[in-house]
Amino acid sequence: MASPRKLIKQLEAAGAKSIISKPDLRSKAVNGVGAFVFPLQKLTFQYDQPRIGAGGTSKGITQFLLTSLSDFASKHPTVEICVERITRNDPKLIAKYVFNVGKEINCKGMPLEEVKRRVKYLAETSGFPDTKFSKPIIDSNSNKVMRPWDPFHSNTMFKP
């Protein structure tokens, strides 16, 4: 059996007018429809290599790179991971998300567990600012379950 595109081309070649407009033949990638696009695109680790035996401000990030980076990379195969060695600057985690939104976290003096927590936070967020809802999402005057409205049991009788 021929594909739909071939059939449409055959019909158009036979003299039929355009059956389907050209943009309708392609599907657009939207999150949740057909495919999921992971929000985090690139994660950059900037660190300064501490001297042997010295603490340094990048100790937590270097421990993460040595112990946990391979696990993170295997769990998130779509994320581009960059490791940059910098000098005389504080260590940073820089996340770049879809739509060119980014977050930057200063990791000066953070222990390994805190760096793991921050990397997990960057991987699980969308890049947009966190919103806090001050009011409850469902607003109701009463906490009981109400039946659907019908005209025969209301306080004012419905007369058509």
Side-chain angles (χ1 to χ4, degrees):
M1 180 165 191
S3 70
R5 288 184 187 214
K6 287 182 181 178
L7 291 173
I8 291 171
K9 285 183 181 180
Q10 288 175 357
L11 287 172
E12 287 177 351
K17 297 288 182 184
S18 179
I19 296 172
I20 300 176
S21 62
K22 298 296 181 190
D24 291 342
L25 295 175
R26 283 181 249 116
S27 63
K28 296 177 182 174
V30 178
N31 263 348
V33 179
F36 175 72
V37 179
F38 196 69
L40 180 62
Q41 298 293 312
K42 182 178 180 181
L43 185 61
T44 305
F45 296 88
Q46 291 184 347
Y47 74 103
D48 185 13
Q49 183 67 40
R51 295 184 312 274
I52 296 174
T57 58
S58 299
K59 192 172 183 181
I61 283 194
T62 54
Q63 287 176 349
F64 181 84
L65 294 175
L66 294 173
T67 59
S68 305
L69 184 63
S70 60
D71 295 336
F72 177 79
S74 65
K75 289 179 184 174
H76 303 89
T78 60
V79 177
E80 178 185 352
I81 298 174
C82 295
V83 179
E84 297 176 0
R85 186 173 176 198
I86 56 172
T87 56
R88 299 187 185 106
N89 284 331
D90 292 339
K92 295 177 188 171
L93 292 172
I94 302 170
K96 187 139 189 172
Y97 296 92
V98 181
F99 305 118
N100 291 329
V101 178
K103 284 188 180 180
E104 187 174 310
I105 297 178
N106 190 347
C107 296
K108 182 178 181 180
M110 282 187 188
L112 174 63
E113 294 304 318
E114 183 69 19
V115 172
K116 282 183 182 179
R117 195 170 67 82
R118 296 296 173 100
V119 168
K120 183 180 177 187
Y121 166 76
L122 290 175
E124 291 177 351
T125 58
S126 64
F128 294 107
D130 298 332
T131 56
K132 185 176 181 181
F133 298 104
S134 58
K135 294 181 180 179
I137 296 172
I138 299 173
D139 190 20
S140 174
N141 294 335
S142 63
N143 293 332
K144 60 184 176 184
V145 177
M146 299 175 70
R147 66 179 185 275
W149 182 88
D150 67 300
F152 304 108
H153 295 97
S154 66
N155 294 338
T156 57
M157 187 67 169
F158 175 74
K159 296 178 182 175

